Amino acid sequence: MRTERLRRSVLYMPGSNERALEKARTLESDVVILDLEDAVAPDRKDHARTLVAETVAAKTFGEREVVVRVNGPGTPAGMKDLDAVLWAAPDAILLPKVEDAEEIESLCAGLDEAGAPRGLALWAMIETPKGVLRVDEIAALGARRRLAALVVGVNDLEQTLRVRLGGDRASILPILSKVVVAARAHHLSALDGVYNNHRDVAGFARE
């Protein structure tokens, strides 16, 4: 069983924005996720990889977990992301749109072959219908490897399921519950998705 860490607040920051990465060092959160995927335009990917690797390697986030969200590991961009950041030794790699356990197994084998530190964890985003249907399988196999957390991608689910979330998010409550159950059954952390309007503090509290 893995040691549970406090992950009450998770802050996503775009990996190509140097000013945002500097600000992230001053904000109180349990986890900082430096994003190389959706938050970075295609023509900024190379710049973001260098910036994120340097930021992680500097080790200036204190006790907070530092996680890097990569592009899909089976894509050219995802492989470049991994090559760029592994040497900097983040606490975890966040994988987008995980849809089956074989993706976790394949990446773990590649990390082992590349000599990645044993302490490097994987987090898996559950944000597609296939990922939801297979979440227990993903959690069960992943927990025997490097998987430490399941993260719900609410924005992508809203699009792929063609639903409107609304303030109570009733349309995806069964999915949120399923992810929590799978995570707890296999001793993983379960993390909710992002709240998009950071200026709406009351709306954040309600959600």
Side-chain angles (χ1 to χ4, degrees):
M1 186 182 301
R2 299 178 189 274
T3 301
E4 190 75 9
R5 297 184 65 164
L6 284 178
R7 294 174 178 135
R8 301 162 298 186
S9 57
V10 179
L11 177 68
Y12 284 76
M13 284 294 187
S16 58
N17 188 327
E18 189 168 0
R19 183 177 178 184
L21 297 185
E22 285 292 332
K23 185 175 182 180
R25 294 185 172 98
T26 70
L27 300 176
E28 295 184 6
S29 62
D30 295 318
V31 183
V32 177
I33 295 178
L34 308 181
D35 191 14
L36 293 174
E37 195 211 13
D38 286 348
V40 179
D43 63 349
R44 299 280 289 170
K45 296 286 190 188
D46 287 337
H47 169 71
R49 290 181 188 108
T50 300
L51 186 56
V52 165
E54 292 175 350
T55 300
V56 173
K59 307 297 180 188
T60 53
F61 288 93
E63 296 300 314
R64 285 170 287 176
E65 276 184 287
V66 179
V67 180
V68 177
R69 180 164 75 167
V70 298
N71 289 271
T75 67
M79 297 309 295
K80 288 182 180 179
D81 292 345
L82 290 170
D83 287 342
V85 304
L86 281 182
W87 70 270
D91 293 299
I93 298 292
L94 176 57
L95 307 177
K97 300 176 179 64
V98 174
E99 294 190 324
D100 59 61
E102 284 70 26
E103 294 176 44
I104 303 293
E105 180 65 33
S106 176
L107 182 56
C108 285
L111 291 175
D112 292 344
E113 187 175 338
R118 292 191 60 175
L120 176 66
L122 296 180
W123 293 11
M125 293 201 74
I126 306 300
E127 50 188 343
T128 69
K130 287 183 179 179
V132 172
L133 290 173
R134 297 169 178 163
V135 66
D136 183 65
E137 169 192 328
I138 292 166
L141 185 144
R144 297 195 296 269
R145 300 287 279 167
R146 294 174 179 265
L147 194 65
L150 300 175
V151 183
V152 182
V154 292
N155 290 333
D156 281 85
L157 281 171
E158 182 178 24
Q159 293 179 9
T160 56
L161 295 174
R162 303 175 192 170
V163 299
R164 292 184 181 276
L165 296 187
D168 60 4
R169 301 196 294 173
S171 58
I172 65 164
L173 284 180
I175 290 173
L176 297 176
S177 298
K178 186 173 183 178
V179 172
V180 170
V181 170
R184 292 292 178 255
H186 301 288
H187 310 294
L188 304 175
S189 290
L191 302 178
D192 203 347
V194 299
Y195 185 74
N196 296 311
N197 186 359
H198 65 277
R199 292 185 174 86
D200 183 5
V201 178
F204 174 68
R206 285 194 302 272
E207 185 164 304

